[in-house]
Amino acid sequence: MTVVRSEFPLAVKVVDTVWITMPDGMRLATTLWLPVTDAKVPVVVELIPYRRRDGTVFRDVELHPYLAGNGVAYVRVDLRGSGDSDGLLRDEYTQQEQADCCFVIDWLSKQDWCNGSVGMCGISWGGFNALQVAALQPPALKAIITLCASDDRHSDDVHYMGGAMLTENISWSNVMMSMNALPPDPRARDDWREVWQARLEANSCWAERWITHATRDGYWQQGSVSQDYSKVKIPVLAGAGWDDSYSNFVMRLLENLSGPRLGILGPWSHAFPCRGAPGPHIGWLQECLRWWKHWLGGEATGIMDEPMLRVWVSGQEEPAASYEVHQGRWVGERVWPSGNVRKRTLYLSDGLLGDAAGGEVSTVKSPATAGIECGRWGGYGGGAPDLPLDQRREDARALCFDTVPLDAPLTLIGGPVLQVDLVSDQPLGHLIARLCVVAPDGTSSLACYGVLNLARRNGMDRNDPMPVVEAVRVRLRLDDLARDVPAGYRLRLAISNQHWPILWPQPSLATYAISNGVLTLPVHQGDEAVTWQPPENAPSLVTETLSPSESSRVISHDVGRGEVKVTLREHAGATLIVDRGIAVFDGSNEIYTIHADDPLCASMTSETLTGTKSGPVDASVLARTSLSADATHFNLSWLVETRDHGEIIHRMEGSKRLPRGGL
């Protein structure tokens, strides 16, 4: 149960809108939460494109006054070209964005209420740019908190996974295309209509660029701190949840950074650890205060006495599309990598996963529909039915290897690694490995998975098709996990070569011959108990629900046509922000279709409808992006219709035929 705090040691002054002028004259719109005190205070800044006055305001008012009321100022900035700021937003994580962040940090450090120490905090986009700016080493930036982000823009973001293209690449582009077509709030700037028109004329389909950069080239290397971890010298607190797609970076940062660092991996989805489903939640804001007061204020808060990694170890529960609260427990590790984790080697032999190596050759040729029970790559929680279902039907589409029932409980923390000798009858293909926990009644729960585009087996920076009918040794690291496996349960490794609709399929259905398989598991022994304060936050916004939220995920099979369709519907509904008189609505629909025996029939359409009403503004945007492909090219098309008071004022549409480049 979250405790709502309405009184704090210090009163809080909210200043909105404050304009910060960049060196080129562009102004960034800013909201400040300032402690009312004569003392100089540290400040934390978040710079993101998600519209501070009618977008992130719902969570901002619960989080930022809490920090300010306890003596840490908080600043929320609309990135250049977003929300109420000047300029145009042309892509994510640009060098211009990072330069703007550095300037804002310097500007804040020189304010007469600031003690000169600045922190940077963010979740998702804000977690990415916090890491990126830390690597640039602006002098006033003393520490960061990064949540649900990544150190690797190419292989561990919304675009690609293991060198394979995520369908989320298209969906995310569509979301940003719709958001970029919205106007500023007229109560923040009088010239909102001119700014709106400029944004409409500059809008574009970012997926075109992302597809063009299919390998880890300079485009993705820019902004990926994994290129040189040594550039990040300041303290880093990294966090994520196991139900989110951005959990792998936490352990990598702990392993590769050299400065002070802490990691927290919980049961959550793409949300702050004190809000959003699933729980249980923790006293996240209290941890933030301890972090900021230690590194920005020089106070002895004890934060660095905590284990380097505090991790939620998931317990056994029935597979479900969504959860309110997960089963599990907290474990602490004083250092990471930990001496409490040892590697256990299991061999793949004649359907078994055991201690004896075998030389058998097994084959797999998954249907193009394999993967439909595995949920979404980008599940965002909040009760949406995005999570993996019982994997038994998926396992039937795969090549499976099982352990015998465990005679004692087993705990896994880290990333499993699979190595196999693989012969493919096609030059292009994906390798997917799922690690499942199988209950005595046969229920199969997905613990983690990994994917590899075989054309990237020698490096994500190259396109190297497989030699046909020639054995190649392939190594695949699965996603990190933390999982308790009860005695009497089995582990199952399921190998397939399709993962729809999470991955865009390769042009043909390949057959793999697999031998000499070895699975290395990270087995954990020895626990340190971890406890948290209960979650707290400031009071929520006063809102009125104009239409309810709804979400669904429907998998249908047309047995006559042989077509399988996945339909995702996620609508946040319409909400009135009472004190501002602003109404907002947002929703998305996605349709994925494929035939089991023909990956070239794959198609997807992502559609969003979003809008805002504030004073003279009554804007709505319909954005739609579709993708299909033949053997050599993608067919990408997009449409954006922008309305003012119901009348179309701008229409943007286009299409491109783009080389597949080994995808």
Side-chain angles (χ1 to χ4, degrees):
M1 180 70 70
T2 299
V3 177
V4 178
R5 300 289 187 193
S6 56
E7 295 185 1
F8 303 102
L10 298 171
V12 178
K13 178 183 179 182
V14 182
V15 187
D16 184 35
T17 300
V18 173
W19 296 97
I20 303 177
T21 303
M22 299 295 102
D24 63 357
M26 294 288 105
R27 301 175 307 153
L28 303 189
T30 303
T31 303
L32 277 62
W33 287 265
L34 299 177
V36 178
T37 176
D38 292 333
K40 292 183 181 295
V41 297
V43 60
V44 176
V45 61
E46 181 181 17
L47 300 100
I48 51 177
Y50 304 134
R51 302 178 62 87
R52 72 193 207 294
R53 284 191 49 81
D54 60 10
T56 62
V57 62
F58 298 94
R59 52 89 161 170
D60 290 348
V61 300
E62 295 180 2
L63 306 179
H64 307 337
Y66 187 101
L67 297 174
N70 283 281
V72 179
Y74 205 97
V75 176
R76 167 69 176 85
V77 182
D78 282 338
L79 285 178
R80 178 186 296 243
S82 71
D84 302 316
S85 291
D86 290 347
L88 300 171
L89 185 64
R90 299 188 182 275
D91 200 355
E92 55 185 13
Y93 316 130
T94 64
Q95 290 177 303
Q96 179 64 67
E97 173 186 326
Q98 294 154 21
D100 287 348
C101 292
C102 290
F103 185 87
V104 168
I105 289 166
D106 181 66
W107 184 90
L108 289 170
S109 73
K110 296 174 180 176
Q111 300 307 297
D112 57 10
W113 46 263
C114 180
N115 70 355
S117 293
V118 182
M120 199 170 175
C121 179
I123 183 171
S124 198
W125 191 307
F128 273 82
N129 65 22
L131 274 172
Q132 293 160 0
V133 173
L136 297 176
Q137 304 176 21
L141 184 63
K142 306 302 183 184
I144 67 168
I145 295 178
T146 173
L147 292 173
C148 306
S150 182
D151 53 346
D152 184 346
R153 290 186 57 212
H154 176 265
S155 297
D156 198 26
D157 191 7
V158 73
H159 312 290
Y160 296 93
M161 181 179 184
M165 190 174 78
L166 295 160
T167 57
E168 200 78 12
N169 193 37
I170 307 304
S171 304
W172 180 239
S173 173
N174 196 68
V175 168
M176 291 308 301
M177 195 164 57
S178 64
M179 189 177 298
N180 290 340
L182 288 172
D185 187 345
R187 301 176 190 186
R189 55 186 310 157
D190 295 334
D191 60 348
W192 62 272
R193 188 171 291 279
E194 291 81 3
V195 173
W196 189 15
Q197 185 63 35
R199 290 182 183 175
L200 293 175
E201 293 173 358
N203 203 2
S204 65
C205 179
W206 293 359
E208 178 186 350
R209 179 183 305 113
W210 297 338
I211 292 174
T212 301
H213 293 278
T215 59
R216 184 191 274 130
D217 57 13
Y219 174 81
W220 302 111
Q221 292 170 15
Q222 192 283 124
S224 292
V225 300
S226 59
Q227 293 294 121
D228 187 354
Y229 288 106
S230 69
K231 291 183 178 179
V232 179
K233 300 183 181 300
I234 60 174
V236 174
L237 171 56
W242 292 123
D243 276 4
D244 187 31
S245 300
Y246 291 102
S247 56
N248 291 316
F249 86 117
V250 174
M251 291 185 182
R252 282 201 304 266
L253 288 181
L254 297 184
E255 182 174 355
N256 290 288
L257 296 181
S258 58
R261 57 205 184 276
L262 295 177
I264 299 173
L265 279 163
W268 320 292
S269 60
H270 202 68
F272 284 91
C274 57
R275 63 194 311 273
H281 299 141
I282 64 172
W284 171 248
L285 291 177
Q286 298 97 303
E287 291 302 296
C288 291
L289 276 174
R290 294 173 71 200
W291 178 261
W292 296 129
K293 289 191 172 185
H294 179 93
W295 292 112
L296 306 185
E299 297 184 24
T301 66
I303 186 66
M304 297 310 294
D305 296 330
E306 301 291 348
M308 179 183 287
L309 175 64
R310 287 172 283 178
V311 58
W312 174 266
V313 181
S314 301
Q316 190 59 33
E317 52 194 354
E318 288 294 314
S322 65
Y323 298 87
E324 285 297 319
V325 177
H326 276 302
Q327 301 297 313
R329 62 193 175 96
W330 284 97
V331 169
E333 285 293 338
R334 286 289 152 186
V335 296
W336 191 264
S338 169
N340 291 327
V341 176
R342 62 178 178 83
K343 298 185 184 301
R344 180 179 176 184
T345 300
L346 298 176
Y347 298 91
L348 285 58
S349 176
D350 195 24
L352 298 177
L353 194 58
D355 296 324
E360 298 88 355
V361 176
S362 303
T363 61
V364 59
K365 181 180 181 179
S366 303
T369 51
I372 60 174
E373 311 282 346
C374 294
R376 296 188 65 182
W377 177 87
Y380 296 107
D386 292 339
L387 299 179
L389 307 176
D390 187 333
Q391 296 292 286
R392 277 179 283 191
R393 283 183 288 194
E394 283 303 327
D395 296 345
R397 303 179 184 111
L399 173 64
C400 294
F401 300 87
D402 288 11
T403 65
V404 298
L406 301 181
D407 57 8
L410 180 70
T411 298
L412 303 174
I413 302 180
V417 176
L418 173 66
Q419 179 178 287
V420 297
D421 289 343
L422 187 150
V423 178
S424 175
D425 66 349
Q426 301 292 328
L428 298 175
H430 295 147
L431 177 66
I432 298 95
R434 289 178 293 112
L435 184 65
C436 298
V437 178
V438 182
D441 67 359
T443 302
S444 181
S445 303
L446 182 60
C448 68
Y449 71 95
V451 307
L452 176 65
N453 178 350
L454 292 176
R456 307 288 190 265
R457 69 194 180 281
N458 295 321
M460 296 297 155
D461 58 346
R462 65 195 69 184
N463 183 32
D464 189 6
M466 288 280 287
V468 176
V469 197
E470 179 182 324
V472 174
R473 181 152 292 181
V474 176
R475 182 182 185 274
L476 170 58
R477 189 185 191 280
L478 282 65
D479 287 343
D480 291 333
L481 82 162
R483 183 82 175 231
D484 278 333
V485 184
Y489 284 62
R490 291 174 289 148
L491 292 176
R492 172 174 293 161
L493 177 70
I495 298 175
S496 60
N497 47 21
Q498 308 293 326
H499 205 51
W500 177 263
I502 293 176
L503 301 182
W504 190 268
Q506 292 283 10
S508 59
L509 296 178
T511 298
Y512 298 162
I514 291 175
S515 60
N516 300 318
V518 179
L519 178 67
T520 304
L521 295 175
V523 177
H524 181 268
Q525 293 178 319
D527 296 343
E528 177 178 344
V530 170
T531 59
W532 300 95
Q533 298 181 62
E536 297 183 354
N537 56 245
S540 303
L541 275 176
V542 177
T543 62
E544 178 183 335
T545 299
L546 304 178
S547 64
S549 62
E550 57 176 315
S551 59
S552 63
R553 174 170 141 225
V554 177
I555 302 172
S556 59
H557 187 186
D558 185 331
V559 295
R561 300 176 58 189
E563 181 181 86
V564 174
K565 178 185 293 186
V566 180
T567 304
L568 306 175
R569 179 178 172 87
E570 192 163 348
H571 287 235
T575 303
L576 175 66
I577 306 172
V578 173
D579 66 342
R580 302 177 182 215
I582 300 176
V584 293
F585 61 91
D586 180 66
S588 67
N589 302 298
E590 295 184 72
I591 298 176
Y592 302 84
T593 61
I594 202 166
H595 288 248
D597 59 354
D598 187 2
L600 291 179
C601 288
S603 69
M604 68 168 290
T605 297
S606 179
E607 180 179 272
T608 61
L609 180 64
T610 186
T612 182
K613 296 181 180 180
S614 178
V617 164
D618 182 356
S620 63
V621 179
L622 169 68
R624 183 184 300 120
T625 306
S626 298
L627 187 70
S628 62
D630 57 31
T632 60
H633 286 77
F634 289 113
N635 301 307
L636 177 70
S637 62
W638 60 89
L639 166 71
V640 184
E641 289 183 346
T642 305
R643 286 175 166 82
D644 183 8
H645 291 82
E647 299 294 326
I648 295 179
I649 62 167
H650 190 270
R651 180 184 176 93
M652 180 188 80
E653 59 183 326
S655 62
K656 281 285 185 177
R657 186 166 161 80
L658 303 169
R660 293 187 64 149
L663 298 176

